[in-house]
Amino acid sequence: MSKAALFRIADSVVHFGHDKGLRIYEMAPGVVETEMTKSMPDHDFRGEGDWTSPKQVSDLAVTLASGTLDAYTGRYVRAGADSEESLLADNAAELADSARRLVLGCVPRSSQSS
């Protein structure tokens, strides 16, 4: 529920703050190797190179803050899986409106069946 709430806040900032220069990104840090994550059985399969490094997280955050990826405002990105290079190659301008977004809410009437 809390993640969905954060997505909704981000969506509101995009709709009501973009024209005022506000930018927001939904950035997931990936799975960083910590004592807690290493103790979780879900991560027993992970070996060297299967974890997101803290540097990957900070590099992506700095890139987002730099303005290079402003086209991704309101979209979901994940450290470790996404990088400045991979996101630029994906070209956010060509993504569908719903791509990399959690869309919550009602189905428009035109999409509902009778």
Side-chain angles (χ1 to χ4, degrees), residues 67-87:
T68 304
L69 298 171
D70 277 359
Y72 281 90
T73 189
R75 295 182 188 268
Y76 179 85
V77 296
R78 183 174 183 266
D82 295 317
S83 65
E84 179 178 10
E85 296 78 19
S86 70
L87 292 168

Side-chain angles (χ1 to χ4, degrees), residues 11-64:
D11 191 50
S12 293
V13 170
V14 169
H15 290 296
F16 299 108
H18 192 271
D19 292 342
K20 294 175 177 65
L22 296 175
R23 302 295 181 260
I24 189 166
Y25 308 92
E26 298 158 4
M27 187 179 102
V31 183
V32 178
E33 184 177 15
T34 65
E35 289 301 317
M36 181 186 77
T37 55
K38 285 172 47 176
S39 72
M40 299 169 129
D42 288 353
H43 300 296
D44 285 347
F45 72 92
R46 293 185 188 278
E48 190 68 32
D50 290 333
W51 300 93
T52 303
S53 73
K55 183 172 179 0
Q56 289 171 304
V57 178
S58 62
D59 285 351
L60 186 55
V62 168
T63 299
L64 292 171

Side-chain angles (χ1 to χ4, degrees), residues 91-108:
N91 191 2
E94 294 179 7
L95 294 177
D97 273 352
S98 61
R100 292 180 167 264
R101 287 194 171 116
L102 176 63
V103 179
L104 302 172
C106 298
V107 177

